[in-house]
Amino acid sequence: MPDSPVLYVLNGPNLNLLGVREPEIYGRETLDDVWALCERAAGGARVVFHQTNHEGVLIDQVHEAREKADVLVINPAGYGHTSVALLDALKTLTIPIVECHLSNPAARERFRHRSYVSPVAAGVVSGFGPLSYELAIKAALGLLQERGGTTGRSV
């Protein structure tokens, strides 16, 4: 195991527009602000932070995490409600996965109530704005520590 755990934080579509897209729902913080929060919350863990608007790229990032990450936090955004392909990619991981959302999908439109990510996630943190990321990171790293800090990487 490396000196410090490797934490992947993956972000789905439209999260690049944080701060300007529906700030009444998602807040005024930018994705760069969220990234900085993740770095602080991770303590000594190395953070690999990605955002994409493309489903196939997000799946490629999950595949990369399969080989390089010790733990994964994912905000799948809209793909969480639509992508069986993302679910299938996440099923290949043996590392802890925590699903994260800025808003509370259960309190929003009906189509947002179903998540294809939740069945493979150890837990879901939602509804706390950017604090959701901090809580998700702490939970994910806690799960890794419970495993004795051992990696589940498939390499």
Side-chain angles (χ1 to χ4, degrees):
M1 172 148 170
D3 294 339
S4 59
V6 178
L7 165 69
Y8 267 53
V9 180
L10 302 182
N11 298 278
N14 299 310
L15 290 167
N16 59 304
L17 297 177
L18 283 180
V20 295
R21 177 181 171 242
E22 299 180 280
E24 66 282 0
I25 295 174
Y26 301 109
R28 299 218 178 269
E29 289 86 356
T30 66
L31 190 61
D32 284 339
D33 295 332
V34 170
W35 189 351
L37 179 150
C38 290
E39 291 279 352
R40 288 189 305 273
R46 185 167 69 86
V47 176
V48 177
F49 192 92
H50 292 298
Q51 186 279 326
T52 184
N53 294 318
H54 304 282
E55 183 178 23
V57 173
L58 185 59
I59 290 166
D60 288 342
Q61 292 167 350
V62 170
H63 293 175
E64 180 181 306
R66 182 176 172 268
E67 297 187 8
K68 296 182 178 180
D70 296 300
V71 65
L72 172 69
V73 170
I74 184 167
N75 181 343
Y79 291 138
H81 316 296
T82 63
S83 182
V84 173
L86 179 59
L87 168 63
D88 289 344
L90 290 166
K91 282 181 172 181
T92 70
L93 301 181
T94 58
I95 60 174
I97 301 167
V98 176
E99 183 178 0
C100 174
H101 297 280
L102 293 159
S103 68
N104 179 358
R108 297 189 57 201
E109 303 94 337
R110 184 174 213 73
F111 70 87
R112 296 185 195 276
H113 296 181
R114 179 174 186 180
S115 168
Y116 284 99
V117 173
S118 294
V120 294
V124 180
V125 180
S126 65
F128 298 103
L131 180 60
S132 292
Y133 281 84
E134 181 177 344
L135 297 169
I137 287 169
K138 290 182 183 303
L141 292 173
L143 291 168
L144 182 62
Q145 187 174 13
E146 285 178 10
R147 286 186 175 192
T150 59
T151 180
R153 287 187 237 166
S154 306
V155 289

